[in-house]
Amino acid sequence: MILPDAVWAHRVALAADLPDERLESRLTAILVNTIEHPSASIPQAMGGDAGLARGVHLHTALAVTSSGQVIGILDQQYWARPQRGQPGPEEKESEKWINGIDASRAVLYQAAGEQSVPRLIHVMDREGDAYEVMMTVADAGDSAIIRCAQNRKIDDPLAKAHEAVRSQPVLCRAVVEVSRKAGVPERRAAVEVRSMRVTLVPDLQKYPHAWPMTWNLVEVWARAGRDGGRGAGGGAEIHLSVAD
């Protein structure tokens, strides 16, 4: 028997054994809206932040093989951001990436015993583009692929990372299918791939104990036009990867 979404969500909320009926109703509404809008964030599914109150943030380190096989969860961290007027945490939220790296290494080394530990490649989104995180990866001898957010200073005549990689020759061109999002139809995008090795130069006033690091920049740029660039100027995704 297939239950209607609202009935299933209500049963789940009851099983959660929350201390207030209003919380059960709120959880039921969140579950129903999430089911009906699976690709949306919770605020998007609920139509705004008003129906959420204070939430808990969850950061998960998931182990996946190079072939895409999921091994399991290596680490989870959760926290609630301080409310207005309350003191903030001593650590920056970027520390979650460093903690995840350390915890993942500890779990794998313990599980491996006397066997060799496979090479670790940490895959991170834009929040992982922090100099402290990259130093942790380099210091551990691991590898990483990080979605680039900062246009950092580099040891190059062009001085900035994004401009430097855009000046490189095109390695390949391809047409990729861009998945459909809420309110945006599926499309095809013509992309160009460029890459270069750069030496990142830290701001010693901000990071007094940092050192220059060599990483690879990989840019995937969608050309504007009928093939489907983002806006009149197209769009780019730039990633950092550890240089061998």
Side-chain angles (χ1 to χ4, degrees):
M1 179 179 65
I2 300 177
L3 296 175
D5 295 341
V7 174
W8 174 85
H10 181 62
R11 290 187 179 181
V12 171
L14 289 176
D17 194 23
L18 297 171
D20 193 307
E21 290 185 2
R22 292 171 297 178
L23 295 178
E24 292 177 357
S25 299
R26 188 183 298 273
L27 178 56
T28 300
I30 291 174
L31 291 172
V32 170
N33 282 283
T34 301
I35 294 171
E36 295 177 351
H37 307 87
S39 62
S41 65
I42 293 179
Q44 290 171 337
M46 294 295 293
D49 293 333
L52 294 173
R54 190 183 184 197
V56 174
H57 295 262
L58 177 67
H59 185 80
T60 301
L62 184 67
V64 181
T65 66
S66 58
S67 62
Q69 180 182 0
V70 177
I71 298 176
I73 294 174
L74 299 179
D75 178 60
Q76 280 192 323
Q77 304 164 61
Y78 57 90
W79 68 95
R81 288 175 177 165
Q83 293 179 321
R84 184 174 298 177
Q86 291 183 337
E90 294 182 3
E91 294 184 343
K92 296 187 294 185
E93 283 197 6
S94 60
E95 288 289 326
K96 64 178 178 285
W97 296 102
I98 297 174
N99 296 336
I101 291 171
D102 293 339
S104 298
R105 288 176 57 82
V107 170
L108 286 180
Y109 273 89
Q110 182 179 7
E114 297 181 356
Q115 301 180 17
S116 60
V117 175
R119 183 182 185 186
L120 298 182
I121 304 175
H122 305 282
V123 181
M124 308 177 187
D125 65 14
R126 293 177 183 270
E127 286 186 335
D129 186 6
Y131 216 89
E132 306 99 319
V133 176
M134 291 187 285
M135 287 193 297
T136 301
V137 173
D139 201 36
D142 293 344
S143 297
I145 299 174
I146 305 173
R147 190 177 183 187
C148 187
Q150 308 296 329
N151 191 10
R152 299 182 184 279
K153 183 180 179 181
I154 62 173
D155 186 16
D156 183 272
L158 292 178
K160 292 291 186 175
H162 294 181
E163 291 77 12
V165 71
R166 176 59 60 84
S167 70
Q168 299 302 302
V170 175
L171 296 178
C172 68
R173 292 181 173 88
V175 176
V176 297
E177 299 290 338
V178 180
S179 301
R180 182 175 182 175
K181 298 180 181 180
V184 180
E186 185 175 316
R187 62 182 176 87
R188 304 176 74 199
V191 299
E192 297 176 347
V193 180
R194 295 175 174 85
S195 177
M196 71 176 298
R197 180 172 296 195
V198 298
T199 298
L200 304 177
V201 180
D203 181 349
L204 294 180
Q205 290 186 342
K206 189 175 182 180
Y207 306 105
H209 304 295
W211 62 89
M213 292 184 292
T214 301
W215 285 66
N216 293 317
L217 278 175
V218 180
E219 181 193 59
V220 181
W221 181 63
R223 293 185 286 110
R226 62 182 181 181
D227 286 326
R230 289 189 300 181
E237 290 286 347
I238 301 177
H239 298 264
L240 289 152
S241 64
V242 174
D244 293 325

